[in-house]
Amino acid sequence: MRTLLIDHHAHLTRTIQGALEDCGFAVDVARTLDEASTAFCCASYHILLLELVMPDGDSLPWLAQLRSNGHSVPALIMSSVDDLEKRIAIFNGGADDFLRKPFCTEELIARMRAILRRSTQITDPTVAFGNLQFDPIGRQVFVEGQPIKIARRELCILEHLLNRAGRTVPRAQLEDSLYAFDDEVSANALEVGIYRLRKNLSQSGATLRINTARGIGYILELTDAPSA
């Protein structure tokens, strides 16, 4: 899931960014609200993480403006402020959750996943397709009930394809969700990831395959389905 992290504390942002990337999130960092506005105009985000007080202003009016413009992207506010009236203002201002600093990254990630489940109205997050099951919370993949190991980047590709199984996922949509602005990505990075994922699925005995829709993207299908 692509995340916009809006915070000006360098050490904390590096810590959060690293933890999120280890869990499969693509993370863009904005150190001012102006940078955040620019990033938001250039990419689609699944969730926002906002420090309450930024160098160029309070993030609540910025978030309220997003909401007034019709943007419903989930938002979690982070702050060392724990005043009751301020917390109420945070939720009334359009935030989906509040986390007091300092916090452990494990709690942050758990809250993010809970917000994402609510926003997509998912009650049972496990995704099954053919003989493969994917647990997006535990980041685990099973074939016939047996766990298989898939590298982080390929796991992200699989997650996106599973969420749209049977439908073509445009290449640009995959790349936009998988890679942050600062990622060093080679021209054929997606093809390499698809190749490795195909090999892994084949070796594990999964009854599904990734077909290429030439010039468009990729489609995940059952092995007995007609090729795309």
Side-chain angles (χ1 to χ4, degrees):
M1 297 295 179
R2 190 158 186 175
T3 303
L4 181 57
L5 172 58
I6 306 168
D7 199 314
H8 59 97
H9 299 98
H11 176 72
L12 180 61
T13 55
R14 284 194 299 269
T15 300
I16 294 175
Q17 184 175 15
L20 292 180
E21 288 175 348
D22 286 343
C23 291
F25 290 86
V27 184
D28 292 324
V29 177
R31 292 175 175 82
T32 65
L33 294 175
D34 187 55
E35 286 183 10
S37 296
T38 300
F40 196 83
C41 290
C42 295
S44 297
Y45 293 99
H46 298 93
I47 190 167
L48 307 178
L49 304 179
L50 303 93
E51 158 62 35
L52 182 61
V53 180
M54 296 293 290
D56 52 345
D58 191 313
S59 62
L60 279 185
W62 184 87
L63 178 60
Q65 185 63 49
L66 282 188
R67 296 292 187 244
S68 67
N69 290 337
H71 297 292
S72 59
V73 55
L76 185 152
I77 296 287
M78 308 173 295
S79 176
S80 58
V81 175
D82 195 29
D83 176 76
L84 176 60
E85 290 187 5
K86 194 63 177 180
R87 292 203 309 272
I88 293 172
I90 286 170
F91 286 107
N92 287 339
D96 296 270
D97 201 355
F98 168 78
L99 187 57
R100 184 183 180 187
K101 292 182 176 181
F103 52 78
C104 67
T105 54
E106 289 84 356
E107 181 180 3
L108 172 65
I109 293 168
R111 285 174 178 265
M112 290 173 64
R113 286 174 172 163
I115 291 171
L116 291 167
R117 287 198 301 272
R118 291 198 301 269
S119 67
T120 54
Q121 297 182 337
I122 295 175
T123 54
D124 180 5
T126 303
V127 180
F129 193 59
N131 65 347
L132 181 144
Q133 301 83 40
F134 171 57
D135 173 11
I137 306 304
R139 310 305 292 171
Q140 292 182 301
V141 179
F142 303 86
V143 173
E144 298 287 357
Q146 296 300 313
I148 64 172
K149 188 172 181 60
I150 298 179
R152 178 175 64 87
R153 188 67 74 188
E154 285 79 65
L155 186 61
C156 293
I157 295 173
L158 176 62
E159 181 175 17
H160 283 280
L161 293 175
L162 277 170
N163 288 336
R164 297 161 181 81
R167 294 176 289 169
T168 299
V169 181
R171 175 193 175 92
Q173 187 178 110
L174 269 174
E175 291 178 329
D176 182 63
S177 297
L178 292 170
Y179 306 118
F181 291 132
D182 293 336
D183 286 347
E184 294 183 6
V185 183
S186 62
N188 66 337
L190 182 57
E191 285 81 359
V192 171
I194 291 289
Y195 169 79
R196 291 174 177 168
L197 181 56
R198 280 172 170 155
K199 183 177 180 180
N200 201 324
L201 294 175
S202 176
Q203 291 177 341
S204 68
T207 58
L208 45 89
R209 65 185 174 205
I210 303 170
N211 288 317
T212 302
R214 293 192 179 279
I216 303 175
Y218 300 93
I219 181 171
L220 190 67
E221 297 180 310
L222 298 177
T223 52
D224 58 351
S227 299

